[in-house]
């Protein structure tokens, strides 16, 4: 699946989310959503799809239950506003006991095609920093204009804030009178209201599955309860902005205070009448499951979710606050200045007081605490209060009303650095009640495409479209202008305005047929984040929306023959990041055979440079790109040639290497089942490199659903290490050494506890193990008849590389339907490689491979690119008579418009301090 290069957008395609290293999750536990077509195979405690049986056995699944017992699918597809209703009836939680990473389990489940998504069960964290009581003042009520608002309205007891937290103190004298009771289910041991919860009279504990939401482990929820719904005008303790509005506690924690049922709590709150739901918790782990729950609360039950944006003091996405349809809250102090601890970002919707906030505490006491955990219930209680005044407004209309009536706080000196990243301002309840009705327009469902490879490179045209929706008062003459915050010499607008016209309340206009268009005309550094800003206006009111697009991804997908793969700028193969992010692996006939692969080079057990897994659960990203990967157009040696250059300067044991990487792929039979990776490795250090080995580490998962039924072996006749599955039908993947300047070496790895007699990767893959697998042999892996999870290293060495000297090492990565199939491809790859001019050319005469001039022939634009973007080059172009018709200086890439030139042959000359390169082009 290709991922959109945007924030704030979740694809409707299947999502299989790798575990994020900076997020906490339950071990050996996954959240799955079954596709609709498999509903007949599902019941409360099992998914009886035949193709899953062996995989569940392989994973040793000991628990498979519907996440929400008895959940029914929605009776209609859309709500009255046209939003799609969310179906939670096919969401399961499984627990398994097999060894291996959670990411491999996710990949295996994804390969079955049964699931819409599979992701970890994330455990969010609480968001407050308590301190000792300092004073009894409640400056927040003054700042948010609560007292003036109460002169107009005092809330309504029928409107309830759902607080998902660690629990509350049911007997607190400043809370007990404001707890919303469910009189349809009194405490008598019977489920009187038939909602599936026995005696949920005063809330529910979804973490412990009982009817007592009293706090356990952490009194965080007691403090939050007082801010959102503390009793007001009762002559005791504190006041809350919601005044007469009630609250209900939904405890989402276990006995130790761990938030094990956070999103379950949102679901419960929505289903039990809470029109606003507070989430003073979160984390950096976000997936489609969380977005599903948010959409379910919003669309199916018309509930507004309010969430804290986090306490890391950073511009970072934080969930659930960063999900669509959530009102994300940042924290301010008593002067309306951003709290130092508060996160911020374009996704923040509003700010509220969250620093030194006095509220209820356990033991019928009070405490001053700080955090976005305090700011969020201030907004949530206020939202319930405002919703009780505007009962006809839906959840998203209340969200927009609060945003449009907030006080602008960006003129405050401490906030100048955070313009547009603290929402529309600080909450103002009085203005939310009294400001005149006005429209509120948002831009959402944003799509960006280049009608090409979605990598957004120099020369591409970006087409950007989305939905304009007006949530509040009708308006006319709406126009929108899209601005890129990068300079126009980098990205220039072609069409950046759109006439939206009239928008009635809750009306939507999509402009996919008339998108904004922008020309990319700059050689961006890899994965550069570019910010776009949409300004919307009706002549009286204006609205702004920001979003990001990531430019010039430093990888290329190779998809021209029967094997698909991804080449990168930093030595990784198949994927550009760990955990199968950015890339397509190594696929053959719709089967992805690869979990991870990359280049490794080394001279000793203490000196290895590489880009694969390490001993601490991460990845050794030790190759620094010197030239972003590029496709030659037209290709010289194959149907798709790519080039990249990197060094090992990021390595903890740097050897002073410069590595040029080329890949070659062909469309014609019999060369359509392999891709060649060719490396020219130069020693730029002053020391001779002895006992040097270079190889490719590959964790082949031949059929992800049966990755623990694989074996690995070596075919000496073709110098090829390969892996295959023991189940039918046969499927093979291999890596073949093509060069003969040093002997081949193959090491097969049993990726199981103990290592099966070889290196043990389950305890990490350090440099000692890496050099061992580069330099010594183990010819088979896969225990017993069925096999197990295996990896392999195909390498060559030892080499001796003197200072300034280069070596060439090349491999073919192959897929096929049998051992004989990949042997045939290995022979064909060797024949093809031997016939390439580069296989015998002088390494010192390689400058022509450092430039690209394309397309050729051309009739519009001519691209001139230097692979080393640190060099300054002079380009000169001469016509057939020898007259110079063009001259310019450039670094990286230059685009030359030639539409007005005469048709014919031209000579292109490129010069820099060390090279002169010439080539001919034809204009048509």
């Amino acid at each position: 699946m290709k991922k959109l290069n945007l924030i704030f957008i979740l694809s409707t395609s299947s999502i299989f989310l790798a575990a994020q290293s900076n997020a906490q999750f339950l071990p050996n536990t996954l959240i799955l959503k079954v596709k609709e077509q498999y509903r007949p195979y599902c019941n409360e405690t099992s998914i009886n799809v035949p193709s899953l049986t062996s995989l569940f056995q392989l994973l040793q699944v000991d628990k498979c239950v519907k996440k929400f017992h008895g959940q029914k699918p929605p009776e209609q597809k859309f709500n009255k506003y046209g939003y799609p209703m969310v179906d939670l009836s096919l969401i399961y939680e499984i627990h398994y006991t097999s060894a291996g990473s959670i990411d491999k389990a996710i990949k295996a489940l994804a390969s079955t095609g049964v699931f819409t998504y599979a992701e970890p069960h994330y455990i969010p964290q609480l968001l407050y920093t308590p301190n000792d009581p300092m004073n009894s003042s409640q400056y927040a009520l003054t700042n948010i204009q609560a007292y003036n608002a109460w002169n107009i309205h005092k809330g309504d007891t029928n409107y309830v804030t759902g607080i998902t937290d660690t629990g509350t103190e049911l007997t607190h004298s400043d809370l007990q009178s404001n707890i919303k009771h469910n009189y349809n289910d009194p405490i008598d041991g019977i489920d009187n209201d038939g909602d599936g919860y026995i005696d949920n009279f005063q809330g529910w504990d979804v973490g412990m599955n009982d009817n007592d939401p009293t706090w356990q482990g952490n009194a965080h929820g007691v403090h939050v309860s007082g801010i959102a719904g503390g009793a007001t005008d009762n002559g005791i303790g504190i006041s809350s902005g919601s005044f007469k509005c009630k609250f209900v506690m939904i405890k989402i924690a276990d006995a130790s205070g761990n938030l094990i049922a956070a999103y379950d709590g949102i679901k419960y709150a929505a289903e039990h009448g809470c029109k606003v739901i507070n989430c003073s918790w979160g984390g950096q782990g976000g997936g489609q499951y969380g977005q599903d729950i948010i959409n379910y609360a919003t669309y199916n039950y018309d509930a507004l979710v309010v969430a804290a944006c986090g306490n890391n003091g950073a511009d970072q996405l934080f969930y659930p606050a960063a999900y669509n349809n959530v009102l994300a809250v940042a924290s301010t102090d008593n002067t309306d200045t951003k709290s130092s601890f508060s996160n911020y970002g374009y996704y923040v919707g509003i700010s509220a007081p969250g620093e030194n906030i006095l509220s209820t505490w356990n033991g019928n006491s009070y405490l001053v605490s700080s955090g976005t955990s305090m700011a969020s219930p201030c907004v949530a209680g206020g939202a319930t209060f405002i919703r009780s005044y505007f009962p006809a407004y839906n959840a998203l209309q209340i969200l927009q009303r609060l945003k449009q009536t907030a006080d602008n706080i960006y003129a405050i000196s401490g906030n100048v650095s955070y313009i547009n990243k603290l929402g529309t301002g600080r909450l103002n309840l009085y203005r939310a009640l009294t400001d005149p009705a006005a429209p509120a327009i948002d831009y959402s469902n944003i799509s960006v495409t280049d009608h090409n490879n979605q990598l957004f490179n120099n020369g591409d045209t970006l087409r950007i479209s989305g939905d304009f929706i007006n949530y509040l008062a009708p308006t006319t003459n709406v126009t929108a202008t899209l601005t890129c915050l990068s300079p126009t010499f980098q990205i220039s607008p072609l069409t950046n305005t759109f006439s939206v016209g009239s928008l009635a309340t809750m009306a939507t206009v999509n402009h996919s047929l008339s998108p904004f268009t922008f020309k990319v005309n700059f050689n961006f550094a890899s994965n550069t984040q570019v910010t776009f800003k949409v300004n919307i206006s009706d002549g009286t009111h204006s609205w702004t929306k920001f979003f990001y697009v990531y430019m010039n991804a430093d990888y290329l997908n190779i998809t021209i023959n029967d094997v698909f793969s991804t080449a990168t700028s930093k030595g990784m193969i198949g994927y550009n990041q760990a955990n199968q992010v950015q890339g397509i692996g190594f696929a053959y006939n719709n089967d992805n055979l690869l979990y991870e692969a990359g280049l490794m080079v080394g001279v000793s057990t203490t000196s290895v440079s590489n880009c694969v897994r390490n001993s601490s659960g991460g990845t050794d990203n030790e190759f620094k790109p010197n030239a972003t990967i590029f496709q030659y157009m037209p290709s010289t040696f194959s149907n798709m040639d790519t080039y990249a250059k990197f060094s090992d300067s990021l390595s903890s044991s740097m050897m002073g290497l410069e590595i040029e990487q080329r890949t070659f792929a062909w469309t014609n039979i019999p060369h359509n089942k392999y891709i060649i990776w060719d490396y020219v490795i130069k020693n730029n250090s002053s020391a001779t490199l002895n006992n040097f080995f270079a190889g490719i580490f590959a964790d082949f998962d031949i059929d992800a659903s049966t990755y623990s039924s694989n074996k690995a072996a070596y075919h000496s006749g073709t110098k090829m290490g390969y892996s295959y599955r023991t189940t039918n039908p046969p499927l093979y993947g291999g890596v073949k050494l093509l060069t003969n300047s040093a002997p081949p070496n193959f090491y097969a790895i049993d990726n199981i506890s103990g290592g099966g007699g070889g290196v043990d990767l389950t305890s990490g893959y350090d440099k000692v193990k890496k050099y061992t697998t580069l330099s010594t042999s183990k010819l088979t892996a896969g225990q017993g008849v069925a096999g197990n999870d295996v990896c392999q290293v195909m390498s060559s060495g030892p080499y001796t590389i003197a200072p300034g000297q280069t070596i060439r090492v090349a491999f073919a990565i192959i897929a096929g339907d049998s051992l004989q199939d990949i042997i045939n491809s290995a022979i064909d790859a060797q024949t093809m490689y031997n016939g390439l001019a580069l296989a015998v050319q002088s390494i010192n005469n390689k400058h022509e491979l450092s430039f690209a001039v394309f397309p050729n022939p051309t009739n519009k634009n001519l691209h001139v690119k230097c692979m080393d973007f640190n060099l300054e080059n002079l380009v000169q172009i001469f016509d057939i008579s020898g007259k110079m018709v063009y001259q310019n200086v450039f670094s990286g890439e230059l685009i030359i418009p030639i539409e007005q030139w005469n048709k014919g042959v031209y000579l292109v000359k490129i010069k820099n301090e060390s090279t002169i390169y010439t080539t001919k082009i034809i204009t048509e």
Side-chain angles (χ1 to χ4, degrees), residues 116-446:
T116 300
Y117 56 75
E119 58 190 59
H121 182 146
Y122 286 110
I123 305 175
Q125 304 300 304
L126 298 169
L127 302 174
Y128 83 112
T129 306
N131 55 38
D132 296 329
M134 296 176 63
N135 57 64
S136 60
S137 65
Q138 286 184 272
Y139 75 86
L141 296 176
T142 300
N143 284 28
I144 67 173
Q145 295 288 301
Y147 299 109
N148 289 333
W150 294 338
N151 287 329
I152 298 170
H153 179 62
K154 290 184 173 60
D156 186 327
T157 59
N158 292 310
Y159 284 79
V160 181
T161 305
I163 300 174
T164 59
D165 218 290
T166 61
T168 192
E169 186 165 274
L170 298 172
T171 59
H172 198 293
S173 58
D174 221 4
L175 296 175
Q176 59 182 350
S177 64
N178 241 26
I179 296 172
K180 183 70 173 180
H181 293 126
N182 177 16
Y183 292 102
N184 292 322
D185 196 0
I187 299 177
D188 59 4
I190 301 171
D191 182 11
N192 295 278
D193 57 3
D195 66 349
Y197 302 90
I198 298 174
D199 296 349
N200 55 336
F201 176 69
Q202 51 191 355
W204 192 256
D205 182 351
V206 294
M208 305 292 288
N209 196 31
D210 60 46
N211 70 335
D212 184 6
T214 299
W215 73 274
Q216 289 178 279
N218 189 324
H220 180 272
V222 182
H223 200 271
V224 170
S225 299
I227 299 170
T232 303
D233 202 26
N234 65 345
I236 302 173
I238 62 164
S239 301
S240 68
S242 63
F243 211 99
K244 290 183 179 180
C245 298
K246 300 285 188 177
F247 78 92
V248 63
M249 174 56 64
I250 301 95
K251 179 173 170 284
I252 59 175
D254 62 15
S256 299
N258 300 310
L259 308 186
I260 63 171
Y263 290 97
D264 307 59
I266 296 175
K267 176 181 180 290
Y268 178 94
E271 292 176 343
H272 288 81
C274 300
K275 288 305 179 184
V276 178
I277 303 169
N278 183 70
C279 305
S280 288
W281 46 267
Q284 294 181 55
Q288 185 60 37
Y289 168 66
Q291 186 66 71
D292 266 358
I293 297 297
I294 298 299
N295 291 346
Y296 179 77
T298 306
Y299 300 151
N300 296 37
Y301 285 91
D302 192 25
L304 172 62
V305 179
V306 179
C309 71
N311 293 345
N312 301 321
D315 184 349
Q316 63 180 204
L317 297 180
F318 201 80
Y319 299 93
Y323 281 129
N324 296 329
N325 301 321
V326 175
L327 182 55
V329 185
S331 172
T332 54
D333 64 13
N334 63 335
T335 67
D336 286 337
T337 302
K338 185 191 87 71
S339 301
S340 60
F341 55 77
S342 178
N343 285 352
Y344 53 96
Y346 289 133
Y347 69 96
V348 173
I350 200 167
S351 295
E355 192 165 342
N356 294 326
I357 301 300
L358 179 68
S359 185
T360 49
W361 195 243
N362 63 292
N364 205 37
S365 65
Y366 299 86
L367 180 74
V368 173
S369 291
S370 298
T372 54
S373 271
M374 284 64 254
S376 183
C378 179
V379 173
T384 306
F385 175 78
I386 297 302
R387 192 154 196 188
S388 70
Y389 190 74
F390 294 105
Y393 280 180
N394 66 37
L396 296 179
Q397 289 175 307
I398 291 294
L399 181 154
Q400 293 295 332
R401 180 66 179 176
L402 294 177
K403 288 177 62 176
Q404 76 175 188
T405 58
D407 288 339
N408 189 324
I409 58 175
Y410 290 115
I412 297 171
S413 60
N415 295 336
V416 171
S417 300
Y418 306 103
I419 290 177
N420 295 313
K421 294 187 176 183
L422 300 175
T424 55
R426 191 253 306 120
L427 174 71
N428 186 320
L429 294 184
Y430 178 71
R431 287 187 57 195
L433 292 179
T434 61
D435 272 16
I441 301 175
D442 189 27
Y443 188 57
S444 60
N445 298 323
I446 302 167

Side-chain angles (χ1 to χ4, degrees), residues 503-525:
L503 277 174
T505 301
M506 294 304 298
T508 300
V509 169
N510 177 275
H511 70 119
S512 58
L513 297 180
S514 300
F516 300 121
T517 56
F518 283 76
K519 186 71 173 181
V520 182
N521 43 34
F522 182 74
N523 190 33
F524 281 96

